[in-house]
Amino acid sequence: PRDWVDRSFYFGTYGQELVRLIATTVRPGDVCIYIGAHKGFITLQLAAAVGPQGQVMSFEPDPRAMQALSSNVRRNGFAQVKLFACALGDREGACEFVLSRQLGWSSRFPNETAKAAAASTTSVRSRRLDDVVAETGVSPETHRLSLMKIDAEGSEPLILQGARETIERFRPAIHIEVNRASLCAGGFGADSIEALLRSLDYQLYAVSFNRSGWPPRRKLSLT
């Protein structure tokens, strides 16, 4: 109850537009990827959507968040979820990772707010998504990769570079949470995300979940 994110999970107010996007995009048997999976709220939504015949690949480099994520997946009995305790980037190796007292703020590139909540710094393995996908045997001939979610606190440009082949081969819908301050801390801008996606012939939209009409109804909106 002390954690505002946990409260939003409990009351169903967290990421309502993303939950609705999953419902309209993901089908049973699909493959989905979540990068920066936190405690697993969205991972569990994805697992329910793909069903027992599908697959969810969830990546979380913060060991404390991974412990909660693993526990939540196990309690729900979702064998279709594969967990990866590593960071993703544009190359194989190791990277310095700043752990925050607020789970969800840990980052390779902490902004000023995250720096103030920093607890410690550790080294984590960094991998390319293209390599991980190749190792799992997921291919466009046998699988439908319908949705990729990226919430990596500033590492998104590096992740996209290391996922370029996967994106080109599968053409998933991609939902990205843009943290401009963390992007700036890493020497990037939001334009670096936009340029890479447009080079892959993607269209970009802002996603919202609004009330409209009379009587008012909740509606997913792409702008």
Side-chain angles (χ1 to χ4, degrees):
R2 293 188 298 271
D3 190 296
W4 65 272
V5 181
D6 285 345
R7 291 198 299 271
S8 67
F9 293 157
Y10 182 82
F11 288 111
T13 59
Y14 180 87
Q16 294 182 9
E17 78 290 341
L18 179 55
V19 172
R20 180 58 62 93
L21 187 66
I22 291 169
T24 59
T25 305
V26 179
R27 301 198 301 254
D30 282 358
V31 176
C32 295
I33 294 174
Y34 194 169
I35 302 166
H38 194 236
K39 295 180 179 180
F41 178 78
I42 296 298
T43 292
L44 301 182
Q45 301 282 338
L46 291 170
V50 303
Q53 303 306 314
Q55 184 180 150
V56 179
M57 301 167 61
S58 288
F59 296 82
E60 177 52 60
D62 186 324
R64 304 161 304 166
M66 173 55 77
Q67 184 177 12
L69 170 63
S70 177
S71 175
N72 287 327
V73 169
R74 185 172 59 253
R75 273 207 306 276
N76 282 272
F78 283 143
Q80 63 268 43
V81 177
K82 293 186 177 181
L83 302 180
F84 298 84
C86 64
L88 289 178
D90 60 341
R91 67 192 67 184
E92 178 79 27
C95 63
E96 187 176 272
F97 198 73
V98 178
L99 300 176
S100 173
R101 290 189 296 274
Q102 174 66 51
L103 284 188
W105 288 7
S106 300
S107 173
R108 291 178 65 176
F109 310 113
N111 58 39
E112 292 304 316
T113 301
K115 285 180 181 178
S120 62
T121 301
T122 188
S123 177
V124 300
R125 184 182 183 185
S126 178
R127 305 201 64 194
R128 296 170 68 249
L129 180 63
D130 287 342
D131 296 335
V132 178
V133 171
E135 290 172 8
T136 63
V138 173
S139 72
E141 290 76 26
T142 54
H143 300 85
R144 178 178 183 261
L145 173 54
S146 56
L147 182 64
M148 182 186 301
K149 162 66 175 171
I150 308 175
D151 182 4
E153 303 296 315
S155 294
E156 289 81 5
L158 299 178
I159 291 169
L160 289 171
Q161 291 173 31
R164 190 181 186 102
E165 183 180 339
T166 299
I167 295 170
E168 288 178 325
R169 294 174 65 213
F170 291 92
R171 307 293 300 173
I174 306 174
H175 184 284
I176 301 179
E177 185 145 341
V178 179
N179 186 324
R180 295 178 186 274
S182 289
L183 284 169
C184 183
F188 308 111
D191 57 338
S192 60
I193 296 176
E194 179 177 354
L196 193 147
L197 290 175
R198 291 200 184 280
S199 74
L200 295 170
D201 199 28
Y202 268 72
Q203 293 179 303
L204 276 62
Y205 298 89
V207 186
S208 57
F209 193 42
N210 304 313
R211 292 184 183 273
S212 62
W214 186 259
R217 297 177 61 186
R218 302 300 296 272
K219 183 179 180 182
L220 185 70
S221 175
L222 301 177
T223 305

